[in-house]
């Protein structure tokens, strides 16, 4: 797979990330409603907050792991004809998927909460810019990487490849 298909271009990967964020919003809203039905409350209980966080992380990782193990593609990746593969070309293993998910969460996770927080604390505008720089780090890495891979793909041992247009 790796030798058959070229690595995905940066722009296509960024568009996929934007589309993926919309899908994750829908998954998070649906999952949040299910959690609220199962454990009603306002979140003031510390145990409930920890359980909800663990539930949310499991939900998001489950979505990605199921898609990546099944076909190597999430819905956003299918739309933009991208596939996640291991370095050797096959399906990524659990270790690689876990590392990729955790690192992507570290790079992309702070964007929304910091943006929302800065909206209510305008004097902290510098934090918003620092978060944008943090988000850009894996993308800037692609200019240094010999194969233009994102930092979390390089560290996880995965690659995002471009699939050919299907001819019927």
């Amino acid at each position: 797979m790796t030798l058959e298909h070229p690595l995905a271009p940066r722009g296509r990967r960024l568009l996929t990330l934007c589309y993926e964020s919309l899908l994750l919003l829908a998954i998070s809203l649906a999952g949040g409603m299910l959690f609220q039905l199962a454990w009603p409350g306002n979140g003031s209980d510390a145990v409930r907050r920890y359980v909800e966080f663990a539930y949310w992380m499991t939900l998001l990782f489950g979505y990605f792991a199921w898609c990546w193990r099944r076909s190597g593609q999430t819905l956003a990746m299918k739309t933009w004809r991208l596939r996640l593969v291991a370095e050797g070309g096959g399906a990524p293993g659990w270790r690689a998927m876990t590392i990729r998910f955790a690192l992507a969460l570290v790079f992309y996770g702070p964007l929304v909460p910091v943006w929302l927080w800065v909206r209510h604390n305008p004097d902290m505008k510098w934090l918003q810019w620092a978060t944008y720089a943090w988000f850009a780090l894996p993308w800037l890495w692609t200019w240094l990487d010999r194969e233009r891979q994102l930092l979390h793909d390089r560290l996880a041992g995965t690659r995002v490849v471009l699939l050919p247009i299907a001819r019927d």
Side-chain angles (χ1 to χ4, degrees):
M1 182 87 49
T2 303
L3 300 175
E4 296 175 28
H5 302 293
L7 289 170
R10 288 180 198 95
R12 190 172 289 233
R13 285 182 281 177
L14 188 57
L15 288 169
T16 302
L17 177 66
C18 293
Y19 184 19
E20 199 74 70
S21 66
L22 294 174
L23 296 172
L24 291 178
L25 177 64
I27 290 168
S28 296
L29 289 173
M33 287 188 319
L34 289 175
F35 186 85
Q36 187 67 26
L37 288 172
W39 192 338
N42 63 2
S44 61
D45 179 20
V47 172
R48 183 184 189 280
R49 285 195 310 265
Y50 290 126
V51 171
E52 187 173 14
F53 180 76
Y55 164 79
W56 193 58
M57 289 295 107
T58 304
L59 179 72
L60 295 180
F61 179 73
Y63 162 73
F64 283 111
W66 181 71
C67 291
W68 291 337
R69 288 297 291 177
R70 194 168 146 256
S71 64
Q73 298 173 291
T74 61
L75 180 58
M77 294 172 85
K78 285 180 185 179
T79 302
W80 290 99
R81 295 187 354 259
L82 303 180
R83 177 173 288 145
L84 181 72
V85 297
E87 283 290 331
W94 286 103
R95 181 178 184 274
M97 289 188 305
T98 303
I99 291 170
R100 186 176 199 270
F101 176 80
L103 290 173
L105 190 63
V106 166
F107 288 120
Y108 306 139
L111 283 176
V112 173
V114 168
W115 180 76
L116 290 172
W117 189 67
V118 169
R119 284 189 60 207
H120 299 291
N121 298 289
D123 55 324
M124 299 297 288
K125 209 64 155 163
W126 66 269
L127 182 60
Q128 187 175 18
W129 289 106
T131 304
Y132 292 154
W134 182 251
F135 168 82
L137 184 64
W139 295 92
L140 294 173
W141 174 263
T142 65
W143 296 97
L144 303 173
D145 190 89
R146 67 185 179 280
E147 296 176 326
R148 303 179 329 272
Q149 289 196 69
L150 288 162
L151 184 55
H152 53 277
D153 281 317
R154 173 62 66 195
L155 295 173
T158 57
R159 307 162 69 91
V160 178
V161 296
L162 179 62
L163 299 175
I165 297 174
R167 307 269 187 222
D168 291 329

